[in-house]
Amino acid sequence: MNTNSAAGRRAWIALAVLSSIALLLSIDVSVLYLALPHMSAELGATGPQQLWIMDIYSFMLAGFLVTMGTLGDRIGRRRLLLAGAAAFGVLSVVAAFSASAEMLVVTRALLGVAGATLMPSSMALIRNIFHDPKQMGAAIGIWFSCFMGGMAVGPFVGGLLLEHFWWGSAFLLGVPFMLVVLLAGPAVLPEYRDRTAGRLDPVSVVLSLAAILPLIYGLKEVARGGWQLVPVAALVAGLALGAVFVRRQRRLADPLLDLRLFGNRAFASSLTLMLLGGVVMAGITLTATTFLQSVAGLSPLAAGLWMVPPSLIMIVALSAGPMLARRVQPAYVMAGGLVLGAAGMALMTLATPGNGVAFVILGLVVAQAGIALPMSLSNGIMMAAAPAEKAGSAAAIAETSGEFGVAVGVAALGSLAAAVFRAGLPEGIAADTIAGAAAETAHQPLLLEAARAAYTSGLHAVSGLGALVFLGLAVLTVVVLRERGVRAEPVPAAA
């Protein structure tokens, strides 16, 4: 087979099917933001139950990505994808008609497991369908654009559904998507599996879950409630079990996760870029949205509308990255995007409580456009750097790093913003959050202004650190990837 042969019509139809999965899974997360109050009221969900309804999906998704990515390599990616699509469709119906909060939490957990079968398999199949490096990069850019587009339109879709239907319609949205996959998938998606792979190691599966789930839980809880004993203990346990997992993978002839992928410089550098890029963007987005509401005084709806332009710009830039890489060496496109992202972060350091909306939104537009360029290309580099039989594992690693990036960004940079905010508060304010300080000083204009200025300093700290991280990543990208381009050397296949 000519590995550089151009893709035909069937390949692009297959991409449309795979991209619809990415679109649905991202909508499925953001659509619940508006549906949560309605479903909580009808099901009588308590505060902790509401948090579990939202969080358990991402916990299970992150926990099972590595296992499902490797399982797809072994049993067949199309087979696993179709099985996951069927399960996701059925579970979506069950979730829509849940009779209690407990039933919905359990169903959301199972939906997370089903989602973990879909994500790595869909990206890995792109690696099998598109052999030409430029077309592969364009295809992954389209897939990623659909994923980000779903995050952007999810709240709008949720509002539209809730305007005319009950909260369960937010879950039923997944059914037609999965029907398309089940009907079209067998005809247009190729099957691929690693015929040399050994059996799945059950101990490694348990260890991976025991490491990833506490880490994700701990990071989310630290972001939500600070450095308390339980989340810190979860982080320590996750790191310890992660070390045990890595040691076991080094000894196995057929590991669950092939650690040799990390030995490829192009793969490891692109993974680092995606992880740290996710950390910065998650942290700055959290800080910026809080600023818009608690400092600039915008309503949640107005703040949400202001966040639409940066999301749309990012979607456009995701598709532009592969096109630019056809004319300019990919490493320079990626580094240029990171420098542009750093410029966007620098713009946000100019924000003040009075003029902050303009600088924050303009900064986010520039930053999102910048980070989209390396994000779309780094996915392609990672998939090209991995051998075809390890594409599922490579996709799972990329997507797991995204989950960790968001969780770390919210926890670490959110904590940084909070620490700077608390350090800048005058003695007359007892609250330790900007929302609490605003409520406490509502009738004391001078103290309220001081609280807003303190939180703005926290925004400056996060955006300034983000700019430095992006500039460092730009240097790393040029040094490591300059001579490699999108087609990095593949990792040798397992014996």
Side-chain angles (χ1 to χ4, degrees), residues 92-145:
S92 295
V93 176
V94 174
F97 294 97
S98 293
S100 66
E102 294 82 1
M103 181 178 175
L104 184 55
V105 169
V106 172
T107 307
R108 285 275 290 166
L110 295 175
L111 276 168
V113 178
T117 68
L118 298 171
M119 291 288 283
S121 294
S122 62
M123 188 183 288
L125 282 170
I126 292 176
R127 169 73 169 83
N128 302 133
I129 293 169
F130 295 91
H131 304 292
D132 178 75
K134 293 180 180 179
Q135 288 189 331
M136 186 197 302
I140 290 176
I142 292 170
W143 185 92
F144 208 77
S145 297

Side-chain angles (χ1 to χ4, degrees), residues 167-186:
W167 61 265
S169 61
F171 290 104
L172 292 181
L173 184 67
V175 176
F177 280 85
M178 293 302 103
L179 284 176
V180 169
V181 173
L182 291 171
L183 292 174

Side-chain angles (χ1 to χ4, degrees), residues 33 45 201 256 330 335:
Y33 294 152
D201 178 40
L256 178 69

Side-chain angles (χ1 to χ4, degrees), residues 55 59 214-236 286 407-416 418 422:
D55 287 345
F59 287 163
L215 283 173
I216 293 291
Y217 169 79
L219 289 168
K220 284 183 175 286
E221 289 303 307
V222 165
R224 182 177 292 137
W227 296 91
Q228 305 296 323
L229 177 61
V230 173
V232 170
L235 289 173
V236 172
L286 169 69
V408 171
V410 170
L413 297 187
S415 297
L416 172 62
R422 287 192 294 268

Side-chain angles (χ1 to χ4, degrees), residues 198-464:
R199 293 184 177 180
L200 202 66
D201 178 40
V203 177
S204 293
V205 172
V206 173
L207 282 174
S208 72
L209 293 174
I212 293 173
L213 291 177
L215 283 173
I216 293 291
Y217 169 79
L219 289 168
K220 284 183 175 286
E221 289 303 307
V222 165
R224 182 177 292 137
W227 296 91
Q228 305 296 323
L229 177 61
V230 173
V232 170
L235 289 173
V236 172
L239 290 172
L241 290 167
V244 175
F245 172 78
V246 169
R247 288 186 61 187
R248 183 173 181 84
Q249 302 315 294
R250 293 187 185 279
R251 297 198 306 264
L252 291 176
D254 297 299
L256 178 69
L257 182 62
D258 191 345
L259 299 178
R260 289 176 302 169
L261 288 169
F262 297 95
N264 180 281
R265 291 179 66 196
F267 183 94
S269 299
S270 297
L271 182 66
T272 301
L273 190 157
M274 291 184 65
L275 176 63
L276 294 181
V279 168
V280 171
M281 293 311 300
I284 197 63
T285 301
L286 169 69
T287 311
T289 51
T290 303
F291 176 92
L292 292 175
Q293 294 179 76
S294 298
V295 176
L298 300 181
S299 68
L301 177 59
L305 290 174
W306 273 113
M307 294 298 289
V308 170
S311 298
L312 294 178
I313 290 295
M314 187 177 195
I315 294 168
V316 173
L318 282 167
S319 299
M323 290 188 289
L324 289 172
R326 295 173 188 172
R327 297 172 174 82
V328 181
Q329 194 173 114
Y332 293 122
V333 175
M334 296 167 72
L338 289 163
V339 171
L340 185 63
M345 295 288 172
L347 281 172
M348 282 186 271
T349 64
L350 303 176
T352 68
N355 68 4
V357 174
F359 279 106
V360 165
I361 298 303
L362 180 59
L364 281 175
V365 166
V366 175
Q368 295 274 43
I371 192 62
L373 298 178
M375 283 294 184
S376 60
L377 293 174
S378 60
N379 266 302
I381 290 176
M382 289 179 66
M383 297 307 295
E389 64 271 18
K390 298 296 181 184
S393 295
I397 293 169
E399 289 153 10
T400 304
S401 75
E403 291 287 336
F404 274 109
V406 171
V408 171
V410 170
L413 297 187
S415 297
L416 172 62
V420 174
F421 164 70
R422 287 192 294 268
L425 283 178
E427 293 185 0
I429 302 177
D432 58 359
T433 66
I434 180 60
E440 182 182 331
T441 60
H443 303 295
Q444 303 175 69
L446 292 179
L447 286 179
L448 177 59
E449 190 62 30
R452 289 173 172 168
Y455 191 84
T456 304
S457 297
L459 173 69
H460 293 168
V462 171
S463 53

